[in-house]
Amino acid sequence: MTPDRITMPPHGMHPAGNPHLTAALNLAAAGVPALPLREGKLPFGNCRTCAENACGGRPNMKRAGTCHCPSVCHAWAAATTDPSVITSPAWAAAWRQAAAVAYHPGGVALTVVDLDNADAIAWARATLPATRTVPTTRGEHWIYRGAMQSANAVRPGVDIKSRMAYARWLGPGTGTMTALPPAVLALVVKEETTPPPGQVVSSLPGRATWDRTVAIGCRHTEPYVRTGLDRGLALVRARTESGAASQAFGVARFLATQHAQCPGPCGLDALGWQIVAAAMSVGVPETYAHRAVTNGLQTAESGAA
């Protein structure tokens, strides 16, 4: 069964008064692997036993391991259809703190095209076949039948969530779910086989670091730039389970926007490379990281024009 077949119970019939736990149990009953999310739509961090994947990771992660941890560890890989796990004492603390529920689309042969803003929605309406649509806080989820590789920032404001990823559960949505179209598959195939436009590799030189020698036209103080950069890099490195490329895109866009009124040069290439390196340090493939950061820098530039 797929999420479009799920019906929610009447208001007030939540186990222990917890609507997120109810939603997860309904998803599990429909065969959809579910898990809780904490504040900020983030997965719960690994327990001490699983810190830094010391346990080897769960068997269905990138690097197969032997983890049998009962806690909500390893983000999307913790998603389950087993109600005894979802209601277990090991998950109880997570449900008390949960701010949302997520599901693993690839685990039920689905792909979610996550459209984060109005421009992304307009692109999807002009490019992709209609399918089941779920409103989100800032955009929409377009859900297709069929699983594929997940990828973040394949276009400005567009992420692909399917295998080895999670998507927030926001209800069954509306419309008829259709088959995964070639246009969505092509977004990731292009990512894997060709550099994105704009000479990404040459525009983000390896080993570059930001300092005053590459930012002679920047109107900001060095402590100001370094503080913003350090905070951004910390946000990217914190995405150890998923979402690092999207975070890198956002950090690049934010930092570039701060320099939109500078006469330049501000050393954005060097800032970009450090963001790329941070994303790669948590497992983002180099090509994906370059594309996400370059898209972020270019989006900020075009928005300032």
Side-chain angles (χ1 to χ4, degrees):
M1 189 180 295
T2 55
D4 59 319
R5 299 286 301 277
I6 297 172
T7 58
M8 301 299 290
H11 181 71
M13 295 180 62
H14 309 303
N18 191 322
H20 301 311
L21 177 54
T22 294
L25 289 170
N26 281 354
L27 286 165
V32 182
L35 73 153
L37 296 179
R38 58 187 172 92
E39 192 78 25
K41 302 181 290 187
L42 298 173
F44 284 85
N46 290 354
C47 67
R48 292 182 180 179
T49 301
C50 299
E52 304 296 330
N53 273 348
C55 61
R58 296 196 188 275
N60 57 341
M61 296 188 76
K62 287 182 180 179
R63 291 178 293 276
T66 57
C67 175
H68 296 290
C69 175
S71 297
V72 192
C73 296
H74 309 294
W76 66 269
T80 181
T81 59
D82 187 341
S84 67
V85 173
I86 293 173
T87 59
S88 68
W91 283 44
W95 287 121
R96 287 194 296 270
Q97 302 172 57
V101 178
Y103 65 102
H104 176 211
V108 69
L110 296 178
T111 291
V112 176
V113 180
D114 186 1
L115 307 168
D116 203 33
N117 53 48
D119 289 343
I121 293 171
W123 165 82
R125 289 175 178 171
T127 308
L128 304 180
T131 189
R132 179 160 290 266
T133 303
V134 181
T136 68
T137 305
R138 296 178 298 180
E140 293 178 350
H141 285 174
W142 285 31
I143 307 176
Y144 290 99
R145 294 195 311 271
M148 63 178 288
Q149 179 179 333
S150 300
N152 291 312
V154 294
R155 289 179 52 85
V158 181
D159 295 336
I160 306 297
K161 301 180 183 299
S162 185
R163 298 191 185 107
M164 302 177 69
Y166 66 86
R168 193 160 49 125
W169 170 252
L170 295 166
T174 58
T176 302
M177 195 179 300
T178 56
L180 183 63
V184 174
L185 291 164
L187 291 171
V188 176
V189 171
K190 182 178 181 182
E191 183 88 50
E192 292 178 322
T193 58
T194 62
Q199 298 181 338
V200 173
V201 175
S202 62
S203 67
L204 296 175
R207 309 298 180 187
T209 56
W210 187 92
D211 58 32
R212 267 297 170 191
T213 64
V214 297
I216 58 175
C218 183
R219 65 183 178 86
H220 299 295
T221 65
E222 185 166 346
Y224 177 90
V225 176
R226 288 194 179 281
T227 297
L229 175 63
D230 289 345
R231 288 176 178 173
L233 297 180
L235 289 173
V236 174
R237 294 183 183 122
R239 297 283 190 147
T240 56
E241 303 291 355
S242 65
S246 287
Q247 186 70 68
F249 171 86
V251 169
R253 180 174 56 183
F254 174 80
L255 292 179
T257 300
Q258 304 311 299
H259 295 270
Q261 303 304 317
C262 291
C266 294
L268 292 184
D269 284 354
L271 291 174
W273 170 251
Q274 290 187 252
I275 302 168
V276 168
M280 292 171 60
S281 74
V282 290
V284 179
E286 184 173 0
T287 303
Y288 288 12
H290 277 300
R291 177 168 185 155
V293 170
T294 301
N295 281 346
L297 296 175
Q298 291 176 347
T299 298
E301 290 171 0
S302 62

